[in-house]
Amino acid sequence: MSEPTPETTPATTPETPELDAFIAQLSDSIAATDTGIAVAIVKRAATIASRMRAEGLVTEYKTSISDVVTAADRAAEKFVVDALARLRPEDGILGEEGSAKESASGRTWVIDPVDGTYNFTSGSDYWCSALALATGDVNDPDDLILGAVHRPATGETWIGGPELPTTRINLNGTVDDVQVDNRPLAEVCAATYLHTTVVGSDDETEVAATRSWLDAVSRCATWRMLGSASVDMAGVVDGRLGVWFQRDVAPWDWLPGRALIEGGGGDCAAVGRWKVVGSEGQVAALRAVLK
């Protein structure tokens, strides 16, 4: 869940048999729509990562012992980048693992090839592949078009956006409309995260953040740290979780889930360094305490 840096590597578009096969399998109707290709791409990216995990992976560390990356993250991101270069060549790219391409269309795809990599490397099934499409600066988009999230463990895919009602595509192919539930904080489970270095810090700003976080979670019926922001927000939009809030969230951890929440009638807010999603009333209550 690291922040984007300006020192990113250019996206490339080499031909590969897997990519060629993927493109060939897409129908013209799917390839013609952003929603169609978003769903197809996140499902294939997750398949690549799952296959590589089953074959065995070496974990590398980025900024901390919990901020990890594997060859599966990079391979899945490379596939997404290469597929989009073929299907949407004018669009820009920003990927968690360093892929970057300037946009000629004003649109940028934001990629998290494996969201929940610590879970992924630990054998947990609580992870996903996710992406979003936005216009303008991805740190504060002019327009958030869509988000797509695929969780291999359940075979579920969520797709939605502010102008695209969020749906969940189930493993058996059925499609369900999903909607953010509006219940008081005291009746719902919060999905949240605060890094150990913040909780253990004696810095005045970090101490204030920890106190406000404790205040926020204490207002909920219960809370969980599950380790994948996009799966968490998909859980909020279909009622498995109540609210979600996290501090210092990168665009690839924020935009896919935010799109789902907005497409499910929910509210999303930035409160200082915090990001918050839920119903309008839930978000308002959390705004009042998070610092």
Side-chain angles (χ1 to χ4, degrees), residues 38-120:
V39 168
I41 285 174
V42 289
K43 291 176 72 174
R44 182 60 66 91
T47 298
I48 291 168
S50 295
R51 183 181 68 226
M52 293 183 67
R53 181 169 77 164
E55 294 169 350
L57 290 168
V58 175
T59 300
E60 301 172 30
Y61 299 93
K62 295 193 281 188
T63 63
S64 71
I65 196 166
S66 63
D67 184 14
V68 297
V69 65
T70 71
D73 298 72
R74 297 189 180 106
E77 180 167 305
K78 182 179 184 301
F79 170 80
V80 176
V81 169
D82 292 350
L84 288 171
R86 292 271 293 272
L87 295 164
R88 296 292 186 269
E90 300 300 310
D91 292 352
I93 294 287
L94 178 66
E96 179 177 11
E97 305 312 330
S99 299
K101 173 187 169 186
E102 289 294 325
S103 176
S105 64
R107 308 184 338 153
T108 299
W109 294 86
V110 181
I111 307 162
D112 197 342
V114 177
D115 180 28
T117 303
Y118 188 83
N119 292 346
F120 177 79

Side-chain angles (χ1 to χ4, degrees), residues 115-128:
D115 180 28
T117 303
Y118 188 83
N119 292 346
F120 177 79
T121 61
S122 302
S124 168
D125 66 13
Y126 202 85
W127 64 276
C128 69

Side-chain angles (χ1 to χ4, degrees), residues 147-149 156-170 174-182 230-241 256-267 278:
V149 173
E156 295 167 317
T157 308
W158 294 262
I159 181 78
E163 304 300 324
L164 176 67
T166 300
T167 56
R168 183 185 63 237
I169 306 167
N170 302 305
T174 59
V175 179
D176 294 324
D177 297 326
V178 289
Q179 195 79 11
V180 174
D181 195 10
N182 184 19
S230 290
V231 180
D232 287 349
M233 285 185 268
V236 172
V237 80
D238 68 13
R240 300 173 194 184
L241 295 166
R258 173 186 158 187
L260 300 182
I261 296 293
E262 293 185 358
D267 192 20

Side-chain angles (χ1 to χ4, degrees), residues 179-183 185 188-191 232-233 235-237 241-245 254 257-258 260-269 275-286:
Q179 195 79 11
V180 174
D181 195 10
N182 184 19
R183 289 187 289 160
L185 287 179
V188 303
C189 178
D232 287 349
M233 285 185 268
V236 172
V237 80
L241 295 166
V243 295
W244 172 90
F245 51 98
W254 170 234
R258 173 186 158 187
L260 300 182
I261 296 293
E262 293 185 358
D267 192 20
C268 303
K275 298 291 194 297
V276 186
V277 309
S279 69
E280 185 175 351
Q282 292 165 347
V283 171
L286 290 169

